[in-house]
Amino acid sequence: MSTNFSDFIAALELRTPGENEFHQAVEEVIGSVWDFYLKNPRYQKVNILDRMVEPERVIMFRVPWIDDQGMVRVNRGYRIGFNSALGPYKGGLRFHASVTLSILKFLGFEQTFKNSLTTLPMGGGKGGSDFSPKGKTDAEIMRFCQSFMTELFRHIGPDTDVPAGDIGVGGREIGYLFGQYKRLKNEFTGVMTGKGLSWGGSLIRPEATGFGVVYFTQHMLKQLGKDIEGMTFAVSGFGNVAWGVISKINELGGKVVTLSGPDGYVYDPQGISGEKIDYMLELRATNNDIVEPYAREFGVQFFPGKRPWEVPVDVAIPCATQNEVDLDDAKMLVRQGCTLLAEASNMGCTAEAAEYLSSQIVYAPGKAVNAGGVAVSGLEMSQNSMRISWTREEVDARLKVIMNNIHSTCVNYGKVPGAGNRIDYIKGANIGGFVKVADAMLAQGVV
Ligand code: 2IT
């Protein structure tokens, strides 16, 4: 048990070699709760931190499947039950070629604090595979999902672990996964979220992450006496999160001028609105993972191989993946007049970028900003348990209340003494998320 932060991190690195993303996430979270931890010896006495950074369970498995040419392929499947102090493990599945144990451990660790912030009874989990849906046919994706679930089904359940989507896992994949679970278990339960509306899904779940991001951004702006109306936004990504963000910003009178993919970014100074938003969905559905066709379709500029952080905007909202904003990007954004960055991707900023942005402009981390997605997953679980479905208005109203509460938690724990209404959102979100998990672990004994 260390009483020195650098010793704590050194020991972690020694026993988890090469898990860089996981180290980065732990360093960020534990770094910001360290003083609070030292001031509360009751946590130290039962070694809460060493327990918190060790996942309760890690399941890794072989996923064999047959492609359309009849060739046998093999991928690796994972499910991490990180922390169940507050409820059943809850978190998404990511299907992407970049997936490693380190990435899923960082995501599961972050998810624990994010879920705590939502105020709903959910523990933290994450899973996925290095399977890439890019270029795969529908039949291949179905066979992969069925094989994946053929192992996963024995480890999950509506009161044990409730997976959902993440990058590469949307409504289609959730359908295939759920269908196979139902067949193997002979049970129709709320074992997954993000389900289709007619078979247990919740209204607003597809939009929830993006809408929640924008509600949280509204609170951040309000804190500065500003409003979304008339503001210009840079958004990265073009998936589910970017889509929800862009739709809601349009509704509230803001203008989004960029979106991006692994191939580069498009700059649309007129703003991405109306049929252009629908076109994003078409692009996503092609499974090609590129945005360049948008530029051709609407006659705007495409910047191959570049990120959208060089465009002058008021607000930046990264919606793609981890570490998509580095220190150079952050400096460029600030130089170009950006005054706020709301991180919609999980750990969207590198540690250096997050630190720089916090000191220069207003920055909030993913676990607070994007928690609306998992929050509505929690509401989907409630509806499934009660065997009812709430109206769109009811779910949206609850989402707004939750995002408001998360913002208040950040203000409560992140107020910078003697700096007016300045909020340290990193500290606010991390301590706010930590306290509940730590207290629950304390109450449940050494488990
Ligand atoms: O990162 C996330 O919070 C998600 N991918 C959503 C998880 C969930 O269980 O809805």
Side-chain angles (χ1 to χ4, degrees), residues 393-446:
E393 290 70 30
E394 178 137 24
V395 179
D396 197 36
R398 286 177 190 268
L399 172 62
K400 283 184 178 153
V401 169
I402 291 169
M403 297 317 294
N404 185 23
N405 285 341
I406 297 174
H407 190 266
S408 303
T409 302
C410 290
V411 171
N412 188 23
Y413 289 104
K415 228 177 170 80
V416 181
N421 58 356
R422 200 179 136 67
I423 309 302
D424 180 341
Y425 284 93
I426 301 182
K427 208 167 157 192
N430 286 333
I431 300 181
F434 169 85
V435 171
K436 273 178 61 189
V437 179
D439 286 345
M441 288 175 74
L442 206 67
Q444 292 170 24
V446 180

Side-chain angles (χ1 to χ4, degrees), residues 93 149 162-164 174 177-178 189-195 380 384:
L93 296 170
M149 187 52 83
V162 183
I174 295 292
L177 291 161
F178 180 81
T189 61
V191 68
M192 303 198 75
T193 61
K195 299 186 291 299
E380 183 171 329
N384 290 164

Side-chain angles (χ1 to χ4, degrees), residues 76-136:
R76 189 174 296 160
Y78 304 82
R79 186 69 186 169
I80 300 176
F82 218 103
N83 192 304
S84 63
L86 299 181
Y89 305 120
K90 181 83 197 88
L93 296 170
R94 176 175 293 191
F95 291 170
H96 192 268
S98 65
V99 163
T100 60
L101 181 62
S102 169
I103 287 183
L104 296 179
K105 279 180 72 177
F106 117 63
L107 289 164
F109 181 72
E110 289 274 300
Q111 195 82 43
T112 303
F113 303 99
K114 180 195 315 195
N115 293 3
S116 164
L117 284 169
T118 66
T119 70
L120 302 176
M122 300 181 289
K126 203 84 190 190
S129 175
D130 59 354
F131 170 81
S132 170
K134 187 177 164 182
K136 302 290 191 303

Side-chain angles (χ1 to χ4, degrees), residues 204-269:
I204 307 270
R205 178 63 190 88
E207 299 91 331
T209 311
F211 283 13
V213 166
V214 178
Y215 298 152
F216 194 89
T217 306
Q218 273 185 307
H219 288 295
M220 292 172 77
L221 286 169
K222 202 162 143 206
Q223 195 76 16
L224 306 171
K226 296 181 181 172
D227 184 57
I228 285 184
E229 190 161 7
M231 288 220 164
T232 305
F233 293 76
V235 164
S236 63
F238 69 112
N240 169 268
V241 178
W243 165 69
V245 165
I246 296 174
S247 308
K248 186 52 87 176
I249 288 175
N250 270 277
E251 193 187 314
L252 297 174
K255 185 163 86 168
V256 180
V257 294
T258 64
L259 49 78
S260 72
D263 56 331
Y265 80 90
V266 292
Y267 178 48
D268 187 345

